[in-house]
């Protein structure tokens, strides 16, 4: 039904698209917005470090999307709360237990300019029903409803902040980084690294 609605609106539908190689499917296109909802790397049963596969998927997708994105284009990625790993996520986890979206996007020169909760109630009114299973076979719909979903918006480094984010609305988390003097996009939760240094002090040599 959804496909027929899109076709009736003259939309082009392409099936079997590999999110890691978008240019192979639409080589001449430059997209204003690329949306990837609830990405999930194919599981390897009985294997450990499944989270590494999700990070690799995000990394490859961001590189793929950046190659076909218009100069002022946007990439929207929606994840389960806590998976993204930014300081603005609805659910805070240890960094090593996240998909590290910011870091993987940065490898493709994409900046995280917005982190916002998906409007679950509004989506429900429009007919969205969480479904699906995790790689262990368990239902994950309940978790999506109770924990919520988080939408991350990325833009190319050096691009302007999207116009819809240049607002006085306090709910837009990027507002605090935007100024009237500059429209350049800036990360809303810049990555910070801590480095521990050990120094050995030798006494001065005798005169």
């Amino acid at each position: 039904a959804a496909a027929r609605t899109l076709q009736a609106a003259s939309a082009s539908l392409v099936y079997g698209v590999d999110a890691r190689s978008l240019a192979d499917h639409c080589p001449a296109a430059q997209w204003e917005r690329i949306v990837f909802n609830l990405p999930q790397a194919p599981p390897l049963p009985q294997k450990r470090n499944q989270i590494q596969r999700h990070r690799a998927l995000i990394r490859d997708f961001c590189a793929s999307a950046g190659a076909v994105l218009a100069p002022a284009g946007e990439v929207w990625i929606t994840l389960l709360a806590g998976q993204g790993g930014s300081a603005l996520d609805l659910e805070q986890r240890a960094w090593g237990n996240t998909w590290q979206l910011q870091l993987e996007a940065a490898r493709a020169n994409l900046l995280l300019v917005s982190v916002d909760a998906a409007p679950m109630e509004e989506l429900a009114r429009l007919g969205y029903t969480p479904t699906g299973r995790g790689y262990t076979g368990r239902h994950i719909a309940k978790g999506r409803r109770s924990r919520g979903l988080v939408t991350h918006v990325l833009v190319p480094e050096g691009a302007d902040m999207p116009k819809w984010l240049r607002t006085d609305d306090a709910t837009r988390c990027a507002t605090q980084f935007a100024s009237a003097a500059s429209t350049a996009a800036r990360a809303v939760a810049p990555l910070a690294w801590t480095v521990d240094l050990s120094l050995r002090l030798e006494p001065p040599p005798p005169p």
Side-chain angles (χ1 to χ4, degrees):
R4 289 194 296 271
T5 300
L6 291 170
Q7 289 172 329
S10 300
S12 298
L13 302 183
V14 181
Y15 297 92
V17 174
D18 187 340
R20 300 165 298 181
S21 56
L22 295 176
D24 292 344
H25 302 276
C26 305
Q30 277 203 320
W31 300 95
E32 294 180 358
R33 182 174 294 179
I34 300 174
V35 180
F36 199 176
N37 289 329
L38 303 171
Q40 189 84 8
L44 291 178
Q46 310 303 321
K47 295 291 184 180
R48 303 185 65 183
N49 293 327
Q50 297 282 354
I51 199 169
Q52 299 287 352
R53 296 175 56 76
H54 299 314
R55 291 174 189 161
L57 173 60
I58 294 296
R59 181 188 317 132
D60 293 343
F61 166 69
C62 286
S64 172
V68 296
L69 198 62
E74 305 167 11
V75 177
W76 290 45
I77 303 176
T78 297
L79 301 174
L80 191 65
Q83 289 177 338
S86 80
L88 299 177
D89 208 305
L90 298 180
E91 179 182 313
Q92 293 297 303
R93 300 182 185 176
W95 173 249
N97 191 33
T98 72
W99 296 13
Q100 301 178 2
L101 182 143
Q102 265 181 292
L103 176 61
E104 303 303 350
R107 300 181 195 275
N109 297 318
L110 297 176
L111 295 177
L112 179 64
V113 296
S114 177
V115 180
D116 212 351
M120 298 298 291
E121 293 184 1
E122 183 177 345
L123 290 172
R125 287 196 295 270
L126 294 172
Y128 171 71
T129 301
T131 59
R133 294 177 180 269
Y135 70 89
T136 59
R138 63 182 176 84
H139 285 282
I140 58 178
K142 183 178 180 181
R144 290 178 182 174
R145 285 192 297 265
S146 61
R147 294 162 62 185
L149 304 176
V150 178
T151 299
H152 307 76
V153 180
L154 310 165
V155 300
E157 185 176 355
D160 284 345
M161 187 70 80
K163 290 183 178 179
W164 59 271
L165 278 174
R166 297 182 224 161
T167 172
D168 293 330
D169 184 353
T171 64
R172 297 299 185 190
C173 53
T175 302
Q176 57 184 309
F177 297 98
S179 67
S182 174
T183 60
R186 297 181 64 183
V188 292
L191 292 169
W193 305 102
T194 301
V195 178
D196 294 328
L197 297 177
S198 297
L199 301 177
R200 179 179 178 180
L201 300 179
E202 296 286 351

